Coordinates of all heavy atoms in Angstrom, one line a residue:
M1441 N 16.6 23.2 4.1 CA 15.8 22.5 3.1 C 14.4 22.3 3.7 O 14.3 22.0 4.9 CB 16.5 21.1 2.8 CG 15.7 20.3 1.8 SD 16.6 18.8 1.4 CE 15.7 17.6 2.3
E1442 N 13.4 22.4 2.9 CA 12.1 22.2 3.4 C 11.8 20.7 3.4 O 12.4 19.9 2.7 CB 11.1 22.9 2.4 CG 11.1 22.3 1.0 CD 10.2 23.1 0.1 OE1 10.3 24.3 0.0 OE2 9.3 22.5 -0.5
T1443 N 10.8 20.3 4.2 CA 10.3 18.9 4.3 C 9.5 18.6 3.0 O 8.6 19.3 2.6 CB 9.5 18.8 5.5 OG1 10.3 19.1 6.7 CG2 9.0 17.3 5.7
I1444 N 9.9 17.4 2.4 CA 9.2 17.0 1.2 C 8.3 15.8 1.6 O 8.8 14.8 2.3 CB 10.2 16.5 0.2 CG1 11.1 17.7 -0.2 CG2 9.5 15.9 -1.1 CD1 12.3 17.3 -1.1
R1445 N 7.0 15.9 1.3 CA 6.1 14.8 1.6 C 5.6 14.1 0.3 O 5.3 14.8 -0.7 CB 4.8 15.4 2.3 CG 5.2 16.1 3.6 CD 4.0 16.8 4.2 NE 4.3 17.6 5.3 CZ 4.3 17.2 6.6 NH1 3.9 15.9 6.8 NH2 4.6 17.9 7.6
V1446 N 5.7 12.8 0.3 CA 5.3 12.0 -0.8 C 4.2 11.1 -0.5 O 4.2 10.3 0.5 CB 6.5 11.1 -1.3 CG1 6.2 10.3 -2.5 CG2 7.7 12.0 -1.6
Y1447 N 3.1 11.2 -1.2 CA 1.9 10.4 -1.0 C 1.7 9.4 -2.1 O 2.3 9.5 -3.2 CB 0.6 11.3 -1.0 CG 0.6 12.3 0.1 CD1 1.1 13.6 0.0 CD2 0.1 11.9 1.3 CE1 1.1 14.5 1.0 CE2 0.0 12.9 2.4 CZ 0.6 14.1 2.2 OH 0.5 15.0 3.3
H1448 N 0.9 8.3 -1.8 CA 0.6 7.3 -2.9 C -0.2 8.0 -4.0 O -1.0 8.9 -3.7 CB -0.2 6.2 -2.3 CG 0.6 5.2 -1.6 ND1 0.6 5.0 -0.2 CD2 1.5 4.2 -2.0 CE1 1.4 4.1 0.1 NE2 2.0 3.6 -0.9
S1449 N -0.1 7.6 -5.2 CA -0.9 8.0 -6.3 C -2.3 7.5 -6.1 O -2.5 6.3 -6.0 CB -0.4 7.6 -7.6 OG -1.3 7.9 -8.6
L1450 N -3.3 8.4 -6.1 CA -4.7 7.9 -5.9 C -5.2 7.1 -7.1 O -5.9 6.1 -6.9 CB -5.6 9.1 -5.7 CG -7.0 8.9 -5.2 CD1 -7.0 8.2 -3.8 CD2 -7.7 10.2 -5.0
W1451 N -4.8 7.4 -8.3 CA -5.3 6.7 -9.4 C -4.6 5.3 -9.5 O -5.3 4.3 -9.8 CB -4.9 7.5 -10.7 CG -5.8 8.7 -10.9 CD1 -5.4 10.0 -10.6 CD2 -7.1 8.8 -11.2 NE1 -6.4 10.8 -10.8 CE2 -7.5 10.1 -11.2 CE3 -8.1 7.8 -11.6 CZ2 -8.8 10.5 -11.6 CZ3 -9.3 8.2 -11.9 CH2 -9.7 9.6 -11.9
K1452 N -3.4 5.2 -9.3 CA -2.7 3.9 -9.3 C -3.2 3.0 -8.2 O -3.4 1.8 -8.4 CB -1.2 4.1 -9.2 CG -0.6 4.7 -10.5 CD 0.9 4.8 -10.3 CE 1.5 5.5 -11.5 NZ 3.0 5.7 -11.3
S1453 N -3.3 3.5 -7.0 CA -3.8 2.7 -5.9 C -5.3 2.3 -6.1 O -5.6 1.2 -5.8 CB -3.7 3.5 -4.6 OG -2.3 3.8 -4.3
G1454 N -6.1 3.2 -6.6 CA -7.5 2.9 -6.9 C -7.6 1.8 -8.0 O -8.4 0.9 -7.9
L1455 N -6.7 1.9 -9.0 CA -6.7 0.9 -10.0 C -6.3 -0.5 -9.5 O -6.9 -1.5 -9.8 CB -5.8 1.3 -11.2 CG -5.7 0.3 -12.4 CD1 -7.1 0.2 -13.1 CD2 -4.6 0.8 -13.3
L1456 N -5.3 -0.5 -8.6 CA -4.9 -1.7 -7.9 C -6.0 -2.3 -7.1 O -6.2 -3.6 -7.1 CB -3.6 -1.5 -7.1 CG -3.0 -2.7 -6.4 CD1 -2.5 -3.7 -7.4 CD2 -1.9 -2.2 -5.5
V1457 N -6.7 -1.5 -6.4 CA -7.8 -2.0 -5.5 C -8.9 -2.6 -6.4 O -9.5 -3.6 -6.1 CB -8.4 -0.9 -4.6 CG1 -9.7 -1.2 -4.0 CG2 -7.3 -0.5 -3.6
A1458 N -9.2 -1.9 -7.5 CA -10.3 -2.4 -8.5 C -9.9 -3.7 -9.1 O -10.7 -4.6 -9.2 CB -10.5 -1.3 -9.6
V1459 N -8.6 -3.9 -9.4 CA -8.1 -5.2 -10.0 C -8.2 -6.3 -8.9 O -8.7 -7.4 -9.2 CB -6.7 -5.0 -10.6 CG1 -6.1 -6.4 -10.9 CG2 -6.7 -4.2 -11.8
C1460 N -7.8 -6.0 -7.7 CA -7.9 -6.9 -6.6 C -9.4 -7.4 -6.4 O -9.7 -8.6 -6.3 CB -7.3 -6.4 -5.3 SG -5.5 -6.4 -5.3
F1461 N -10.3 -6.4 -6.4 CA -11.7 -6.8 -6.1 C -12.3 -7.5 -7.3 O -13.2 -8.3 -7.2 CB -12.5 -5.5 -5.8 CG -12.2 -5.0 -4.4 CD1 -12.5 -3.7 -4.1 CD2 -11.8 -5.8 -3.4 CE1 -12.3 -3.2 -2.8 CE2 -11.5 -5.4 -2.1 CZ -11.8 -4.1 -1.8
G1462 N -11.8 -7.2 -8.5 CA -12.2 -7.9 -9.7 C -11.8 -9.4 -9.7 O -12.6 -10.3 -10.0
F1463 N -10.6 -9.7 -9.3 CA -10.1 -11.1 -9.1 C -10.9 -11.7 -8.0 O -11.2 -12.9 -8.0 CB -8.6 -11.1 -8.9 CG -7.8 -11.0 -10.1 CD1 -6.9 -10.0 -10.3 CD2 -8.0 -12.0 -11.1 CE1 -6.1 -9.9 -11.4 CE2 -7.2 -11.9 -12.3 CZ -6.3 -10.9 -12.5
T1464 N -11.2 -11.0 -6.9 CA -12.0 -11.6 -5.8 C -13.4 -11.9 -6.3 O -13.9 -13.0 -6.0 CB -12.1 -10.6 -4.7 OG1 -10.8 -10.2 -4.2 CG2 -12.9 -11.1 -3.5
A1465 N -14.0 -11.1 -7.1 CA -15.3 -11.4 -7.7 C -15.3 -12.6 -8.6 O -16.2 -13.4 -8.6 CB -15.9 -10.1 -8.4
L1466 N -14.2 -12.7 -9.4 CA -14.1 -13.8 -10.3 C -13.9 -15.1 -9.4 O -14.5 -16.1 -9.8 CB -12.9 -13.6 -11.2 CG -12.6 -14.7 -12.2 CD1 -13.7 -14.8 -13.2 CD2 -11.3 -14.5 -12.9
G1467 N -13.2 -15.1 -8.4 CA -13.0 -16.2 -7.5 C -14.3 -16.6 -6.9 O -14.6 -17.8 -6.8
I1468 N -15.1 -15.6 -6.4 CA -16.4 -15.9 -5.8 C -17.3 -16.5 -6.9 O -18.1 -17.5 -6.6 CB -17.0 -14.7 -5.2 CG1 -16.2 -14.3 -4.0 CG2 -18.5 -14.9 -4.8 CD1 -16.6 -12.9 -3.4
F1469 N -17.3 -16.0 -8.1 CA -18.1 -16.6 -9.2 C -17.7 -18.0 -9.5 O -18.6 -18.9 -9.6 CB -17.9 -15.7 -10.5 CG -18.6 -16.3 -11.7 CD1 -20.0 -16.3 -11.8 CD2 -17.8 -17.0 -12.6 CE1 -20.6 -16.8 -12.9 CE2 -18.5 -17.5 -13.7 CZ -19.8 -17.4 -13.9
L1470 N -16.4 -18.3 -9.5 CA -16.0 -19.7 -9.7 C -16.4 -20.6 -8.6 O -16.8 -21.8 -8.8 CB -14.5 -19.8 -9.9 CG -13.9 -19.2 -11.2 CD1 -12.4 -19.2 -11.2 CD2 -14.4 -20.0 -12.4
I1471 N -16.4 -20.2 -7.3 CA -16.8 -21.0 -6.2 C -18.3 -21.2 -6.3 O -18.8 -22.4 -6.1 CB -16.4 -20.3 -4.9 CG1 -14.9 -20.3 -4.7 CG2 -17.1 -21.0 -3.7 CD1 -14.4 -19.4 -3.5
N1472 N -19.1 -20.2 -6.7 CA -20.5 -20.4 -6.8 C -20.9 -21.2 -8.0 O -22.0 -21.8 -8.0 CB -21.2 -19.0 -6.9 CG -21.3 -18.3 -5.5 OD1 -21.2 -18.9 -4.5 ND2 -21.4 -17.0 -5.6
A1473 N -20.1 -21.2 -9.0 CA -20.4 -22.0 -10.2 C -20.1 -23.5 -10.0 O -20.4 -24.3 -10.9 CB -19.6 -21.5 -11.4
G1474 N -19.5 -23.9 -8.9 CA -19.3 -25.3 -8.6 C -17.8 -25.7 -8.9 O -17.5 -26.9 -8.7
K1475 N -17.0 -24.8 -9.2 CA -15.6 -25.1 -9.4 C -14.9 -25.0 -8.1 O -14.4 -24.0 -7.7 CB -14.9 -24.1 -10.4 CG -15.6 -23.9 -11.7 CD -15.3 -25.0 -12.6 CE -15.9 -24.6 -14.0 NZ -16.4 -25.6 -14.7
D1476 N -15.0 -26.1 -7.3 CA -14.6 -26.1 -6.0 C -13.1 -26.4 -5.9 O -12.6 -27.4 -5.3 CB -15.4 -27.1 -5.2 CG -15.2 -26.9 -3.7 OD1 -15.0 -25.8 -3.3 OD2 -15.3 -27.9 -2.9
G1477 N -12.3 -25.6 -6.6 CA -10.9 -25.8 -6.6 C -10.1 -25.0 -5.6 O -10.7 -23.9 -5.1
I1478 N -9.0 -25.4 -5.3 CA -8.1 -24.6 -4.3 C -7.7 -23.3 -4.9 O -7.5 -22.3 -4.1 CB -6.9 -25.5 -3.8 CG1 -6.2 -24.9 -2.6 CG2 -6.0 -25.7 -5.0 CD1 -6.9 -25.0 -1.4
V1479 N -7.6 -23.2 -6.2 CA -7.1 -22.0 -6.8 C -8.2 -20.9 -6.6 O -7.8 -19.7 -6.4 CB -6.8 -22.2 -8.3 CG1 -6.5 -20.9 -9.0 CG2 -5.7 -23.2 -8.5
A1480 N -9.5 -21.2 -6.7 CA -10.5 -20.2 -6.6 C -10.5 -19.7 -5.1 O -10.7 -18.5 -4.9 CB -11.9 -20.8 -6.9
W1481 N -10.4 -20.6 -4.2 CA -10.3 -20.2 -2.8 C -9.1 -19.3 -2.5 O -9.2 -18.3 -1.7 CB -10.4 -21.4 -1.8 CG -11.7 -22.0 -1.8 CD1 -12.2 -23.1 -2.4 CD2 -12.9 -21.5 -1.0 NE1 -13.5 -23.3 -2.1 CE2 -13.9 -22.4 -1.2 CE3 -13.0 -20.4 -0.2 CZ2 -15.2 -22.2 -0.6 CZ3 -14.3 -20.2 0.4 CH2 -15.3 -21.1 0.2
L1482 N -8.0 -19.7 -3.0 CA -6.7 -19.0 -2.7 C -6.8 -17.6 -3.4 O -6.4 -16.6 -2.8 CB -5.5 -19.7 -3.2 CG -5.1 -20.9 -2.4 CD1 -3.9 -21.7 -3.1 CD2 -4.7 -20.5 -1.0
A1483 N -7.3 -17.5 -4.6 CA -7.4 -16.2 -5.3 C -8.4 -15.3 -4.6 O -8.1 -14.1 -4.4 CB -7.9 -16.5 -6.7
T1484 N -9.5 -15.9 -4.1 CA -10.5 -15.1 -3.4 C -9.9 -14.5 -2.1 O -10.0 -13.3 -1.8 CB -11.8 -15.9 -3.1 OG1 -12.3 -16.4 -4.3 CG2 -12.8 -15.1 -2.4
S1485 N -9.3 -15.4 -1.3 CA -8.7 -14.9 -0.1 C -7.5 -14.0 -0.3 O -7.4 -12.9 0.4 CB -8.3 -16.1 0.8 OG -7.3 -16.8 0.2
F1486 N -6.6 -14.3 -1.2 CA -5.4 -13.5 -1.4 C -5.8 -12.1 -1.9 O -5.3 -11.1 -1.3 CB -4.4 -14.2 -2.3 CG -3.2 -13.4 -2.7 CD1 -2.2 -13.3 -1.7 CD2 -3.1 -12.7 -3.9 CE1 -1.1 -12.5 -2.0 CE2 -1.9 -12.0 -4.1 CZ -0.9 -11.9 -3.2
F1487 N -6.5 -12.0 -3.0 CA -6.9 -10.7 -3.6 C -7.9 -10.0 -2.7 O -7.9 -8.7 -2.7 CB -7.4 -10.9 -5.0 CG -6.3 -11.3 -6.0 CD1 -6.2 -12.5 -6.5 CD2 -5.3 -10.4 -6.3 CE1 -5.2 -12.9 -7.4 CE2 -4.3 -10.7 -7.2 CZ -4.2 -11.9 -7.7
G1488 N -8.7 -10.7 -2.0 CA -9.7 -10.0 -1.1 C -9.0 -9.3 0.0 O -9.2 -8.1 0.3
I1489 N -8.1 -10.0 0.7 CA -7.3 -9.4 1.8 C -6.4 -8.3 1.2 O -6.3 -7.2 1.9 CB -6.5 -10.5 2.5 CG1 -7.5 -11.4 3.2 CG2 -5.5 -9.9 3.5 CD1 -6.9 -12.6 3.8
G1490 N -5.8 -8.5 0.1 CA -4.9 -7.5 -0.5 C -5.6 -6.2 -0.9 O -5.2 -5.1 -0.7
G1491 N -6.8 -6.4 -1.5 CA -7.6 -5.2 -1.9 C -8.1 -4.5 -0.7 O -8.1 -3.2 -0.7
L1492 N -8.5 -5.2 0.4 CA -9.0 -4.5 1.6 C -7.8 -3.7 2.3 O -8.0 -2.6 2.8 CB -9.6 -5.5 2.6 CG -11.0 -6.0 2.2 CD1 -11.4 -7.1 3.2 CD2 -12.0 -4.8 2.1
F1493 N -6.6 -4.4 2.3 CA -5.4 -3.7 2.9 C -5.1 -2.4 2.1 O -4.8 -1.4 2.7 CB -4.3 -4.7 2.9 CG -3.0 -4.1 3.5 CD1 -2.9 -3.8 4.8 CD2 -1.9 -3.7 2.7 CE1 -1.8 -3.2 5.4 CE2 -0.8 -3.2 3.2 CZ -0.7 -2.9 4.6
M1494 N -5.1 -2.5 0.8 CA -4.7 -1.3 0.0 C -5.8 -0.2 0.2 O -5.5 1.0 0.2 CB -4.6 -1.7 -1.5 CG -3.3 -2.3 -1.9 SD -1.9 -1.3 -1.5 CE -2.2 0.1 -2.5
L1495 N -7.1 -0.6 0.2 CA -8.1 0.4 0.5 C -8.0 1.0 1.9 O -8.1 2.2 2.0 CB -9.5 -0.3 0.4 CG -10.7 0.6 0.5 CD1 -10.7 1.6 -0.7 CD2 -12.0 -0.3 0.5
W1496 N -7.6 0.2 2.8 CA -7.3 0.8 4.2 C -6.1 1.7 4.2 O -6.2 2.8 4.8 CB -7.1 -0.4 5.2 CG -6.7 0.1 6.5 CD1 -7.5 0.6 7.5 CD2 -5.4 0.0 7.1 NE1 -6.8 0.9 8.6 CE2 -5.5 0.6 8.4 CE3 -4.1 -0.4 6.7 CZ2 -4.4 0.7 9.2 CZ3 -3.1 -0.3 7.5 CH2 -3.2 0.2 8.8
L1497 N -5.1 1.4 3.4 CA -3.9 2.3 3.3 C -4.3 3.6 2.7 O -3.9 4.7 3.1 CB -2.8 1.7 2.5 CG -1.9 0.7 3.3 CD1 -0.9 0.1 2.3 CD2 -1.2 1.3 4.4
I1498 N -5.1 3.6 1.6 CA -5.5 4.8 0.9 C -6.3 5.7 1.8 O -6.1 6.9 1.9 CB -6.3 4.4 -0.4 CG1 -5.4 3.8 -1.4 CG2 -6.9 5.7 -1.0 CD1 -6.1 3.2 -2.6
L1499 N -7.3 5.1 2.5 CA -8.2 5.8 3.3 C -7.5 6.4 4.5 O -7.7 7.6 4.9 CB -9.4 5.0 3.8 CG -10.4 4.6 2.7 CD1 -11.5 3.7 3.2 CD2 -11.0 5.9 2.1
K1500 N -6.6 5.6 5.1 CA -5.9 6.1 6.3 C -4.9 7.3 5.9 O -4.8 8.3 6.6 CB -5.0 5.0 6.8 CG -4.2 5.4 8.0 CD -3.3 4.2 8.5 CE -2.4 4.8 9.6 NZ -1.2 4.1 9.6
E1501 N -4.3 7.2 4.7 CA -3.4 8.2 4.3 C -4.2 9.5 3.9 O -3.7 10.6 4.3 CB -2.6 7.7 3.0 CG -1.5 8.7 2.6 CD -0.8 8.1 1.4 OE1 0.0 7.2 1.7 OE2 -1.0 8.5 0.3
R1502 N -5.3 9.4 3.3 CA -6.1 10.6 2.9 C -6.8 11.2 4.1 O -6.9 12.4 4.2 CB -7.1 10.2 1.9 CG -6.5 9.7 0.6 CD -5.7 10.8 0.0 NE -4.9 10.2 -1.2 CZ -4.1 10.8 -1.9 NH1 -3.8 12.1 -1.6 NH2 -3.4 10.2 -2.9
I1503 N -7.3 10.4 5.0 CA -8.1 11.0 6.2 C -7.1 11.6 7.2 O -7.4 12.7 7.7 CB -8.9 9.9 6.9 CG1 -10.0 9.5 5.9 CG2 -9.5 10.4 8.2 CD1 -10.8 8.3 6.4
T1504 N -6.0 11.0 7.5 CA -5.1 11.5 8.5 C -4.0 12.4 7.9 O -3.3 13.1 8.7 CB -4.4 10.4 9.3 OG1 -3.6 9.6 8.3 CG2 -5.4 9.5 10.0
H1505 N -3.9 12.6 6.6 CA -3.0 13.4 5.9 C -1.5 13.0 6.3 O -0.7 13.9 6.5 CB -3.2 14.9 6.2 CG -4.5 15.3 5.7 ND1 -4.9 15.4 4.4 CD2 -5.6 15.7 6.5 CE1 -6.2 15.9 4.3 NE2 -6.6 16.0 5.6
T1506 N -1.3 11.7 6.5 CA 0.1 11.3 6.8 C 0.7 10.8 5.5 O 0.2 10.0 4.8 CB 0.1 10.1 7.8 OG1 -0.7 9.1 7.3 CG2 -0.4 10.6 9.1
P1507 N 1.9 11.3 5.1 CA 2.5 10.9 3.8 C 3.2 9.5 4.0 O 3.5 9.1 5.1 CB 3.6 12.0 3.6 CG 3.9 12.5 5.0 CD 2.7 12.4 5.8
Y1508 N 3.4 8.9 2.8 CA 4.1 7.6 2.8 C 5.6 7.8 3.0 O 6.2 7.1 3.8 CB 3.8 7.0 1.4 CG 4.5 5.6 1.3 CD1 4.0 4.6 2.1 CD2 5.5 5.3 0.4 CE1 4.6 3.3 2.0 CE2 6.0 4.1 0.3 CZ 5.6 3.1 1.1 OH 6.2 1.8 1.0
Y1509 N 6.2 8.8 2.4 CA 7.6 9.2 2.6 C 7.6 10.6 3.0 O 6.9 11.5 2.5 CB 8.4 9.1 1.3 CG 8.8 7.7 0.9 CD1 8.4 7.2 -0.3 CD2 9.5 6.8 1.7 CE1 8.8 5.9 -0.8 CE2 9.9 5.6 1.3 CZ 9.5 5.1 0.1 OH 9.8 3.9 -0.3
M1510 N 8.5 10.9 4.0 CA 8.7 12.3 4.4 C 10.3 12.5 4.4 O 11.0 11.8 5.2 CB 8.1 12.6 5.7 CG 8.2 14.1 6.0 SD 7.0 14.6 7.4 CE 7.3 13.4 8.6
I1511 N 10.8 13.3 3.5 CA 12.2 13.6 3.4 C 12.5 14.9 4.2 O 12.0 15.9 3.8 CB 12.6 13.7 2.0 CG1 12.2 12.4 1.2 CG2 14.1 13.9 1.8 CD1 12.3 12.4 -0.3
T1512 N 13.4 14.8 5.2 CA 13.8 15.9 6.0 C 15.2 16.2 5.8 O 15.9 15.5 5.1 CB 13.4 15.7 7.4 OG1 14.2 14.6 7.9 CG2 11.9 15.4 7.6
D1513 N 15.8 17.2 6.5 CA 17.2 17.5 6.5 C 18.0 16.3 7.1 O 19.1 16.1 6.8 CB 17.5 18.7 7.3 CG 17.0 20.0 6.6 OD1 16.9 19.9 5.3 OD2 16.8 21.0 7.3
D1514 N 17.4 15.6 8.1 CA 18.1 14.6 8.8 C 18.0 13.2 8.2 O 18.9 12.4 8.4 CB 17.6 14.5 10.3 CG 17.8 15.8 11.0 OD1 18.8 16.5 10.7 OD2 17.0 16.1 11.9
G1515 N 16.9 12.9 7.5 CA 16.8 11.6 6.9 C 15.4 11.4 6.2 O 14.8 12.4 5.9
I1516 N 15.1 10.1 6.0 CA 13.8 9.8 5.4 C 13.0 9.0 6.4 O 13.5 8.1 7.0 CB 14.1 8.9 4.1 CG1 15.0 9.7 3.1 CG2 12.8 8.4 3.5 CD1 15.4 8.8 2.0
I1517 N 11.7 9.3 6.4 CA 10.8 8.6 7.3 C 9.7 8.0 6.4 O 9.1 8.6 5.6 CB 10.1 9.6 8.3 CG1 11.1 10.3 9.1 CG2 9.0 8.9 9.1 CD1 10.5 11.5 9.9
M1518 N 9.6 6.6 6.6 CA 8.7 5.8 5.7 C 7.5 5.3 6.6 O 7.8 4.6 7.6 CB 9.3 4.7 5.0 CG 8.4 3.9 4.1 SD 9.2 2.5 3.4 CE 9.0 1.3 4.7
N1519 N 6.3 5.6 6.3 CA 5.1 5.1 7.0 C 4.5 4.0 6.1 O 3.8 4.3 5.2 CB 4.2 6.3 7.2 CG 3.0 5.8 8.1 OD1 2.9 4.7 8.6 ND2 2.0 6.7 8.2
S1520 N 4.7 2.8 6.5 CA 4.3 1.6 5.7 C 2.9 1.2 6.0 O 2.4 0.2 5.4 CB 5.2 0.5 5.8 OG 5.2 0.0 7.1
G1521 N 2.2 1.8 7.0 CA 0.9 1.4 7.3 C 0.8 0.8 8.7 O -0.1 1.1 9.5
F1522 N 1.7 -0.1 9.0 CA 1.8 -0.7 10.3 C 2.8 -0.1 11.2 O 2.6 0.1 12.4 CB 2.1 -2.2 10.2 CG 1.0 -3.0 9.6 CD1 1.2 -3.8 8.5 CD2 -0.3 -3.0 10.2 CE1 0.2 -4.5 7.9 CE2 -1.3 -3.7 9.6 CZ -1.1 -4.5 8.5
K1523 N 4.0 0.2 10.7 CA 5.0 0.9 11.5 C 5.7 1.9 10.7 O 5.6 2.0 9.5 CB 6.0 -0.2 12.0 CG 6.8 -0.8 10.9 CD 7.8 -1.8 11.5 CE 8.7 -2.3 10.4 NZ 9.8 -3.1 11.0
T1524 N 6.4 2.8 11.4 CA 7.1 3.9 10.8 C 8.6 3.6 10.9 O 9.1 3.3 12.0 CB 6.8 5.2 11.5 OG1 5.4 5.4 11.4 CG2 7.5 6.4 10.8
C1525 N 9.3 3.6 9.8 CA 10.8 3.4 9.8 C 11.5 4.7 9.5 O 11.0 5.5 8.6 CB 11.2 2.4 8.7 SG 10.4 0.8 8.9
E1526 N 12.6 5.0 10.1 CA 13.3 6.2 9.9 C 14.8 5.9 9.6 O 15.4 5.1 10.3 CB 13.3 7.1 11.1 CG 13.9 8.5 10.9 CD 13.6 9.4 12.0 OE1 12.8 9.1 12.9 OE2 14.2 10.5 12.0
V1527 N 15.3 6.4 8.5 CA 16.7 6.2 8.1 C 17.4 7.6 8.2 O 17.0 8.5 7.5 CB 16.8 5.7 6.7 CG1 18.2 5.5 6.3 CG2 16.1 4.3 6.6
H1528 N 18.4 7.7 9.0 CA 19.1 9.0 9.1 C 20.2 9.0 8.1 O 20.9 8.0 7.8 CB 19.8 9.1 10.5 CG 18.7 9.1 11.6 ND1 18.0 10.2 11.9 CD2 18.3 8.2 12.5 CE1 17.2 10.0 12.9 NE2 17.3 8.7 13.3
F1529 N 20.4 10.2 7.5 CA 21.5 10.3 6.5 C 22.9 10.1 7.1 O 23.8 9.7 6.4 CB 21.4 11.7 5.8 CG 20.2 11.9 5.0 CD1 19.5 13.1 5.0 CD2 19.8 10.9 4.1 CE1 18.4 13.2 4.2 CE2 18.7 11.0 3.3 CZ 18.0 12.2 3.3
A1530 N 23.1 10.3 8.4 CA 24.4 10.1 9.0 C 24.7 8.6 9.0 O 25.9 8.3 9.0 CB 24.4 10.7 10.4
D1531 N 23.7 7.8 9.0 CA 23.9 6.3 9.0 C 24.2 5.7 7.6 O 24.5 4.6 7.5 CB 22.7 5.6 9.6 CG 22.5 6.0 11.1 OD1 23.5 6.5 11.7 OD2 21.4 5.9 11.6
V1532 N 23.9 6.5 6.5 CA 24.0 6.0 5.2 C 25.4 6.3 4.7 O 25.9 7.5 4.7 CB 23.0 6.6 4.3 CG1 23.1 6.2 2.8 CG2 21.6 6.3 4.8
E1533 N 26.1 5.3 4.2 CA 27.5 5.5 3.6 C 27.4 6.1 2.2 O 28.2 7.0 1.9 CB 28.2 4.2 3.6 CG 29.7 4.3 3.3 CD 30.4 2.9 3.5 OE1 30.2 2.3 4.5 OE2 31.1 2.6 2.6
C1534 N 26.6 5.5 1.4 CA 26.5 6.0 0.0 C 25.2 5.6 -0.6 O 24.5 4.7 -0.1 CB 27.6 5.6 -0.9 SG 27.6 3.8 -1.2
F1535 N 24.8 6.3 -1.7 CA 23.6 6.0 -2.5 C 24.0 5.4 -3.8 O 25.0 5.9 -4.4 CB 22.7 7.2 -2.7 CG 22.0 7.7 -1.4 CD1 22.5 8.8 -0.8 CD2 20.9 7.1 -0.9 CE1 21.9 9.3 0.4 CE2 20.3 7.5 0.2 CZ 20.8 8.6 0.9
F1536 N 23.3 4.5 -4.3 CA 23.6 4.0 -5.7 C 22.4 3.6 -6.4 O 21.4 3.4 -5.8 CB 24.6 2.8 -5.7 CG 24.1 1.6 -5.0 CD1 23.5 0.6 -5.7 CD2 24.3 1.4 -3.6 CE1 23.0 -0.5 -5.0 CE2 23.8 0.3 -3.0 CZ 23.2 -0.7 -3.7

């Protein structure tokens, strides 16, 4: 069997990054408008960090040509961005 490489969808990931940066911009606007609420700060930090992380994952995957999933004869290798996990088919009892 040949090795199957699965990459993230560029359109879906790009849309997710755009939505995250949109919520970050909205949070910054609320902070600048004087709405000094905890929700604006939490939204800005959460969506800002999430958007930057997704952008980093997209760029890292495209520049280094490393797939998110790689299915081989022996198992599945998942590259989540920080660490690589490998599941051997010999260790799997069944799929459902």
Side-chain angles (χ1 to χ4, degrees):
M1441 181 174 104
E1442 66 184 53
T1443 301
I1444 300 171
R1445 299 174 187 269
V1446 180
Y1447 295 91
H1448 281 108
S1449 171
L1450 192 59
W1451 290 103
K1452 289 180 185 178
S1453 299
L1455 182 63
L1456 182 63
V1457 169
V1459 168
C1460 284
F1461 287 157
F1463 279 120
T1464 303
L1466 181 65
I1468 291 171
F1469 173 76
L1470 289 175
I1471 292 170
N1472 286 337
K1475 308 282 190 215
D1476 196 29
I1478 190 76
V1479 175
W1481 284 101
L1482 286 175
T1484 302
S1485 61
F1486 178 76
F1487 286 109
I1489 292 170
L1492 288 174
F1493 179 71
M1494 282 301 299
L1495 186 63
W1496 176 73
L1497 280 179
I1498 292 170
L1499 290 175
K1500 180 183 173 213
E1501 187 176 285
R1502 297 298 171 183
I1503 291 172
T1504 62
H1505 301 290
T1506 55
Y1508 182 63
Y1509 286 121
M1510 191 164 43
I1511 304 169
T1512 62
D1513 290 335
D1514 300 328
I1516 299 172
I1517 302 169
M1518 183 184 81
N1519 185 7
S1520 65
F1522 290 123
K1523 66 178 187 172
T1524 302
C1525 299
E1526 186 171 354
V1527 177
H1528 297 282
F1529 290 137
D1531 297 337
V1532 177
E1533 188 173 312
C1534 67
F1535 291 103
F1536 61 93

